[in-house]
Amino acid sequence: MNFAAGIVTGKAGSSMDWGVNTAYKTYKGVEVEPKHMMDMTLIPSIDPIDIGLGSSEKGNAAPSAKPRKKTMTSVYLKFFETAPDGKSRRCKFCGQSYSIATATGNLGRHLANRHPGYDKSGDAAASTATAPQTTVIVKKSQPQGKAHQVDYDHLNWLLIRWLILASLPPSTLEEKWLVNSFRFLNPSIQLWPGDKYKAVFREVFRSMQEDVRLSLEQVSSKLSIILDFWTSYESFFYMSVTCQWIDESWSFREVLLDICHIPYPCGDSEIYHSLEKVLENYNIENKVVSCTHDNSQNAIHACHTLKEKFDGQKAGPFCYIPCAARTLNLIIDDGLRTTKPVISRVREFALQLNECTDFSEDFIQFSMAYREGSWKFPVDTSARWSGSYQMLDIVHKAGKTMEAVVRKNGEKLGDRMILTAAEKTAVSIVHGYLEPFYKTTNNMCTTKMPTIGLILFFMDHISEMITVCRESRHTPEWLKSVAEDMAKKARSYSSQVCNIFTYMTAILDPRIKCELIPENLNSENHLEEARAHFMRNYSTGHFPSVTSGYGAHEMEDGGSVSFAEEIARKKRRGSIVSATDELTQYLSEPPAPMPTDVLEWWKVNSTRYPRLSVMARDFLAVQATSVAPEELFCSKGDEIDKLRFSMPHDSTQAILCIKSWAQDGIKFKYRSTEIDYERLMELAAASVADNNVTSSDKKQK
C-alpha cells in the first residue's frame, strides 16, 4: 500500500492540520510563510529570553525607551540563584555552590566547562543588545524575532517517537528536570502540553490501526489468534490479542490487533465481549480458525462461548488451544518444589558473584583448580526457569568451588550459604531429573517456528520422562510424589489438546506426520476425518474443475464421443482422483529431518501438493503457545512484565500498540498521513550543523 507522505510543521503548542497541501498551516488555518525544508532548523540561534529555570514566576514585559547593553555579569548571574542567607550562589542545573564574592568570570568558566553553550548565549546577548526588544517568558515569541523562529512541532514529534520506542507515558515530558534540560539547549523551545501528547497518541493509534485492518483484508489464508493477560500497578486487567498467519510467499506473519482493558469483574463474559469486539472491528470473524489462550478458566470459558457462536454461524472449523509453554512451566515448578529454599540461597550467592569482581575471580580460579568447568559472568539469576536451572547447575557442577569461595569470603558472604551434604544430594537428583526439561525448553525457545506438531512431540517426551521417574525403583519417594503432581498437569493438557483439529495441524508438519504424533492422538478415525475435511474444503472448492470446458467442437457427428476423447476423459478422471488424494501421497512419504524449515519445505513442495499446501497454510499458523517461550522461560520476560506493570492506564493501549506496529514495519501515521521521521532527523542534524557554523563565524568576528 502506498500512502502520501508529509512532514508536520506549524506553530508550537497548537494542534496541526496534517494535509499534505497544508503542511505549513496551523490548526486554526493561519497562514505561515512556507520555507524550504533545509532552511528550517530545530534549534536555531535566537535572541536571549529569560526562561525562569527552576521557577514558576512569570516574567513581565519591560520595554525600554533606550535599550541598555547587557553585561556578561547579568548573563551569567541569571543561571545562578542566591541562597536565602545571601552568602552563596547555586547553579540552577548542577547544584554547585559558590561564595557570593566569587567573580563572575569564574561563574562563566563554570558554565563553559560544566554546561557548554551558556557562555555563547552571552555573546548572543551582546550582539543583539542594540536592537529594541521586549523581555518575555518562554512560550511567547518576540515580534522582532518572529521571522527567525521556526516551528518546534518537529521536536515534539521526535519526542513522541522517543516516548513510543522507549515505552514511556506522555507524563514523562512533564518532568521539570527534562523541561529545563531542553530549555538549556534553547530557551525558546516549547513542548506541547500533556493533553496534546495524549490526543496525538490516540490519533496516531487510530490511523495505524486502520492500516492494520486494511492489510488484513488482503490476507487470503486463515488466521490464528492468541490471547495474553496481565494486571498493571493500578490493578487494571488487560488482554492482548495477536493475529498470526502465513502469507502467499510462505512467510510467517503476526501483528498485534489490540490491547483491551477488561472491565470489572474481569470474568469470562467480559473477556468474550472484548474479544468479540476486536474481531468485529477488524472484520476477521470468518477468517479465524483458532484461538490459543493462557489456560485460565475465564479464558477457556470465553473461547468456548466464541466457538459456540462460530458453530451457530457455520463459519467453518474453530478450535481453542491451551498454552503448552505455560503448562510446561507449571510442571517444572512442581519439579523444583523441594529444592526451592536451596535455589534461593544459591541465587543470593550468584548475585554476589555478579556484583563483586573479586568474588567472581575467586570462583573462576577455584573452578579451574577443582576442574569444575569454565564459567562466565554475569550468570543468569532470574527467578524464571532458566535462572533456577542455572542455580542447580552451579551446585551440581561447581559445588566445591562454591563452598571454597564462601569459606574464603565468610565475613561478607556468611556461612549460611554453605550447603549440607543432604541438600547437595537433593539438588543433584533434581538436576538430573529436570535436565531433559531444560533441553526441551531450550529447543522451544530457539526453534524458528514451534508448530503444534513439534510442541506435541516435545510434550509427549516430557510425559514419558515423568512416567519413567514414577515407575523407577531408584527414585526417592519424595521425588515420586513430585512426579505424580507433574503427571496430573501433563494429563490435563493432553486431554484438552488432543482432538481432530490439532491432529490435522500436526500431520501437516512434514517433520512429524503420523509417525511422531503422540499415541493418544494418532488414530484411524482422526485420519479419516482429516481426509474428509481435506476433500470437502480443499479438494475442489478452491480450484477450478479440470472436467469443465468441453464444447461442441469436441463431439463427433451425432453427438457421440470419439475413441480418443474417451481415453482422454479416463485419464482426466484418473488425474482428478490423484489430485484429491494428495493427503495420502504426502503421508506415504517418510518425515523430513528435524532441522527442516517447515515453511521452506512447503514453499518448495507446494507444486507437488497444490491443494494440500493451501490447507497447510491455514493450519500451520495455529500456535501451541499464547506467549513466546523465551518470554516465559527466560529473563526476557522480566523486562516485558515490568513494562506492562508500570504503564499507566491512559497510555497502555496506544503506546504498546503503536510500538508493536512500528516494529512490524507499519508506517507511523497521523490522520492517515505518514510522518517522515527520517526527514525530521535530517532536519535536526542540519540544524546542529548550521548552529555550529554560525557560532564559529561569531567567534572569528
Side-chain angles (χ1 to χ4, degrees):
M1 295 180 290
N2 294 323
F3 298 91
I7 299 179
V8 180
T9 59
K11 291 185 178 180
S14 64
S15 301
M16 300 307 303
D17 183 347
W18 267 76
V20 177
N21 297 324
T22 59
Y24 295 95
K25 295 181 181 179
T26 64
Y27 182 81
K28 296 180 179 179
V30 179
E31 295 287 348
V32 180
E33 181 182 355
K35 297 183 179 181
H36 191 277
M37 282 299 182
M38 293 307 294
D39 294 332
M40 303 188 71
T41 56
L42 292 176
I43 310 176
S45 299
I46 62 168
D47 294 336
I49 296 177
D50 186 359
I51 58 176
L53 293 173
S55 173
S56 61
E57 297 177 0
K58 296 184 179 180
N60 298 317
S64 174
K66 183 178 180 180
R68 181 176 61 86
K69 181 178 180 180
K70 288 190 175 182
T71 65
M72 298 297 289
T73 299
S74 63
V75 172
Y76 293 144
L77 287 181
K78 70 178 182 180
F79 301 121
F80 291 82
E81 57 185 4
T82 304
D85 58 6
K87 296 182 179 180
S88 63
R89 292 191 179 96
R90 185 173 66 88
C91 178
K92 293 183 178 180
F93 295 96
C94 65
Q96 177 69 43
S97 295
Y98 290 91
S99 169
I100 196 70
T102 301
T104 55
N106 291 335
L107 300 181
R109 281 188 286 275
H110 167 85
L111 294 172
N113 295 332
R114 298 288 294 277
H115 313 291
Y118 270 89
D119 57 329
K120 297 176 184 177
S121 66
D123 295 338
S127 65
T128 59
T130 58
Q133 63 179 0
T134 301
T135 303
V136 296
I137 61 170
V138 80
K139 295 187 180 180
K140 292 185 179 179
S141 59
Q142 304 177 47
Q144 287 80 4
K146 187 173 182 179
H148 301 287
Q149 291 187 350
V150 298
D151 192 327
Y152 286 100
D153 280 352
H154 289 88
L155 174 61
N156 283 286
W157 280 101
L158 289 173
L159 290 175
I160 283 179
R161 179 76 168 182
W162 169 63
L163 290 175
I164 289 171
L165 294 180
S167 301
L168 296 173
S171 58
T172 303
L173 296 179
E174 297 175 4
E175 294 288 341
K176 195 170 184 179
W177 66 267
L178 185 60
V179 174
N180 287 346
S181 297
F182 283 117
R183 291 177 179 173
F184 160 74
L185 296 175
N186 191 323
S188 68
I189 284 179
Q190 300 179 26
L191 301 184
W192 290 339
D195 290 342
K196 181 171 181 179
Y197 281 111
K198 294 177 182 178
V200 169
F201 277 134
R202 289 192 295 269
E203 189 60 43
V204 170
F205 170 81
R206 284 192 289 266
S207 296
M208 296 181 73
Q209 186 182 46
E210 178 63 16
D211 279 359
V212 174
R213 190 187 66 80
L214 292 174
S215 67
L216 289 177
E217 288 183 356
Q218 309 303 317
V219 177
S220 59
S221 60
K222 294 292 186 180
L223 306 174
S224 172
I225 59 174
I226 59 175
L227 309 180
D228 196 17
F229 301 87
W230 72 92
T231 303
S232 72
Y233 76 98
E234 296 173 308
S235 297
F236 285 110
F237 188 57
Y238 292 99
M239 173 181 70
S240 67
V241 185
T242 304
C243 177
Q244 299 166 322
W245 72 96
I246 298 172
D247 64 20
E248 295 180 353
S249 62
W250 288 97
S251 297
F252 181 77
R253 304 284 301 278
E254 67 175 349
V255 64
L256 177 65
L257 297 182
D258 209 345
I259 291 178
C260 311
H261 166 227
I262 308 299
Y264 183 84
C266 311
D268 57 290
S269 177
E270 290 74 26
I271 293 175
Y272 165 72
H273 289 299
S274 297
L275 177 57
E276 182 184 39
K277 183 178 179 181
V278 172
L279 300 182
E280 289 176 352
N281 287 343
Y282 284 94
N283 194 27
I284 59 174
E285 289 181 295
N286 293 331
K287 290 185 176 181
V288 174
V289 72
S290 72
C291 178
T292 307
H293 54 78
D294 71 337
N295 304 358
S296 65
Q297 288 300 312
N298 284 335
I300 292 173
H301 293 155
C303 289
H304 182 73
T305 305
L306 186 64
K307 177 175 171 56
E308 289 180 337
K309 175 184 177 180
F310 288 165
D311 289 345
Q313 296 176 346
K314 298 182 179 179
F318 175 81
C319 181
Y320 51 96
I321 301 170
C323 176
R326 294 189 183 279
T327 300
L328 184 53
N329 196 50
L330 292 174
I331 291 173
I332 291 173
D333 195 57
D334 280 343
L336 293 172
R337 185 172 59 207
T338 305
T339 55
K340 279 186 177 180
V342 177
I343 290 174
S344 297
R345 288 158 58 193
V346 179
R347 182 173 284 111
E348 290 184 26
F349 171 73
L351 287 170
Q352 293 290 339
L353 294 180
N354 289 343
E355 294 173 3
C356 182
T357 305
D358 292 339
F359 293 165
S360 60
E361 289 179 352
D362 287 344
F363 191 93
I364 293 173
Q365 291 177 2
F366 281 122
S367 64
M368 293 176 61
Y370 289 120
R371 297 182 179 180
E372 291 187 328
S374 177
W375 298 82
K376 293 182 180 180
F377 293 90
V379 297
D380 184 359
T381 57
S382 70
R384 296 177 183 268
W385 165 230
S386 62
S388 296
Y389 188 80
Q390 182 79 77
M391 301 305 102
L392 297 177
D393 226 27
I394 290 175
V395 177
H396 178 70
K397 297 180 179 178
K400 293 181 180 179
T401 298
M402 177 181 173
E403 184 172 345
V405 172
V406 172
R407 293 190 182 280
K408 179 181 177 180
N409 303 277
E411 294 182 359
K412 297 180 180 179
L413 295 177
D415 293 339
R416 60 187 175 80
M417 291 189 181
I418 297 178
L419 304 181
T420 64
E423 289 173 331
K424 291 180 180 178
T425 299
V427 167
S428 295
I429 293 173
V430 172
H431 179 277
Y433 173 51
L434 294 181
E435 185 175 8
F437 294 73
Y438 183 71
K439 293 179 178 179
T440 299
T441 54
N442 264 358
N443 270 274
M444 291 175 64
C445 293
T446 56
T447 299
K448 181 180 179 181
M449 185 179 174
T451 62
I452 286 280
L454 185 65
I455 296 300
L456 291 178
F457 171 75
F458 282 144
M459 294 298 287
D460 188 50
H461 174 66
I462 291 296
S463 296
E464 291 176 357
M465 294 299 100
I466 295 174
T467 300
V468 169
C469 176
R470 293 167 56 208
E471 296 178 353
S472 174
R473 293 179 299 172
H474 305 290
T475 303
E477 289 301 321
W478 59 268
L479 187 56
K480 285 186 177 182
S481 176
V482 167
E484 182 59 39
D485 293 337
M486 298 169 74
K488 291 179 182 178
K489 291 181 173 61
R491 288 193 296 269
S492 175
Y493 171 79
S494 179
S495 65
Q496 294 180 59
V497 80
C498 289
N499 52 57
I500 178 58
F501 188 93
T502 53
Y503 175 85
M504 290 190 294
T505 305
I507 63 174
L508 289 171
D509 186 334
R511 303 166 299 180
I512 305 298
K513 296 190 175 180
C514 294
E515 283 82 349
L516 299 180
I517 287 183
E519 292 183 4
N520 58 345
L521 183 61
N522 199 1
S523 70
E524 284 296 326
N525 290 337
H526 281 163
L527 179 58
E528 290 306 315
E529 288 185 51
R531 192 186 309 280
H533 179 82
F534 170 64
M535 297 285 287
R536 182 171 58 252
N537 295 281
Y538 298 93
S539 180
T540 57
H542 290 70
F543 305 92
S545 173
V546 296
T547 62
S548 62
Y550 294 124
H553 65 279
E554 299 176 89
M555 308 299 289
E556 293 281 339
D557 292 342
S560 61
V561 180
S562 67
F563 177 71
E565 182 60 29
E566 288 182 2
I567 297 175
R569 290 192 178 185
K570 287 180 180 180
K571 287 185 175 294
R572 291 189 185 105
R573 283 195 295 270
S575 65
I576 295 171
V577 173
S578 176
T580 55
D581 204 23
E582 287 177 11
L583 181 60
T584 300
Q585 181 182 345
Y586 163 78
L587 294 176
S588 67
E589 298 176 358
M594 276 298 174
T596 300
D597 185 322
V598 175
L599 298 185
E600 184 64 26
W601 188 95
W602 274 108
K603 184 177 181 180
V604 171
N605 289 275
S606 59
T607 54
R608 295 178 58 206
Y609 308 108
R611 293 159 172 79
L612 189 62
S613 63
V614 177
M615 181 176 173
R617 275 184 60 204
D618 288 345
F619 281 82
L620 287 177
V622 177
Q623 295 299 293
T625 63
S626 65
V627 62
E630 64 269 20
E631 295 178 9
L632 188 63
F633 297 123
C634 305
S635 57
K636 180 181 179 181
D638 293 333
E639 301 173 9
I640 296 174
D641 286 351
K642 291 176 184 176
L643 170 63
R644 289 174 167 180
F645 179 79
S646 60
M647 185 67 64
H649 176 63
D650 59 0
S651 304
T652 297
Q653 181 190 45
I655 289 183
L656 296 185
C657 285
I658 294 172
K659 179 180 180 180
S660 177
W661 294 335
Q663 290 174 340
D664 289 338
I666 299 171
K667 299 297 184 181
F668 199 97
K669 290 189 175 183
Y670 179 83
R671 294 179 181 171
S672 302
T673 302
E674 180 182 341
I675 302 170
D676 191 346
Y677 272 105
E678 292 184 3
R679 183 60 177 158
L680 289 179
M681 292 302 297
E682 289 175 3
L683 291 173
S687 169
V688 174
D690 290 344
N691 285 340
N692 290 339
V693 171
T694 302
S695 299
S696 177
D697 292 343
K698 287 183 179 180
K699 287 184 177 180
Q700 290 177 2
K701 292 179 181 180

